[in-house]
Amino acid sequence: MAPPETPSLRLVIHAPTPAALERARNNARNLLAARPDAQVRIVVNAGAVAAALDGPDAETDRLLRVCGNTLARTGRGAGGLTVVPAGVLDIAEAQAEGWGYMRA
């Protein structure tokens, strides 16, 4: 008999501030170290957007989803990061698809 499969793990980590972005990046690293098969998104909005743009992180930038509303409000470009129309919408859609949510 085959061992039971571990269910797919999908987590959205919400980071609205620079400090939250730092925590989110650490949380994502720790989760992926423990569960390399996990899917992780870090949704950044508000003050975390400038922190993400001004402090790139080669290991976690691929996980970032940047709020387009914040970019428009601040007049900044995404610098190659993934942009979503609205952070709140991205989080809500992920939850509707069964992703877990954590605020960093």
Side-chain angles (χ1 to χ4, degrees), residues 63-87:
L63 307 174
L64 295 181
R65 297 168 74 87
V66 180
C67 177
N69 287 333
T70 301
L71 288 173
R73 190 173 57 253
T74 60
R76 297 202 54 183
L81 298 175
T82 300
V83 177
V84 296

Side-chain angles (χ1 to χ4, degrees), residues 24-89:
R25 285 174 163 163
N26 288 333
N27 290 154
R29 282 187 196 95
N30 292 339
L31 176 59
L32 291 170
R35 285 282 301 270
D37 62 321
Q39 297 176 51
V40 181
R41 295 179 183 173
I42 300 172
V43 177
V44 295
N45 68 321
V49 170
L53 296 173
D54 296 341
D57 180 85
E59 187 178 0
T60 61
D61 278 356
R62 65 185 174 82
L63 307 174
L64 295 181
R65 297 168 74 87
V66 180
C67 177
N69 287 333
T70 301
L71 288 173
R73 190 173 57 253
T74 60
R76 297 202 54 183
L81 298 175
T82 300
V83 177
V84 296
V88 65
L89 176 62

Side-chain angles (χ1 to χ4, degrees), residues 12-30:
V12 173
I13 305 173
H14 176 206
T17 67
L21 175 59
E22 184 176 340
R23 288 189 302 272
R25 285 174 163 163
N26 288 333
N27 290 154
R29 282 187 196 95
N30 292 339

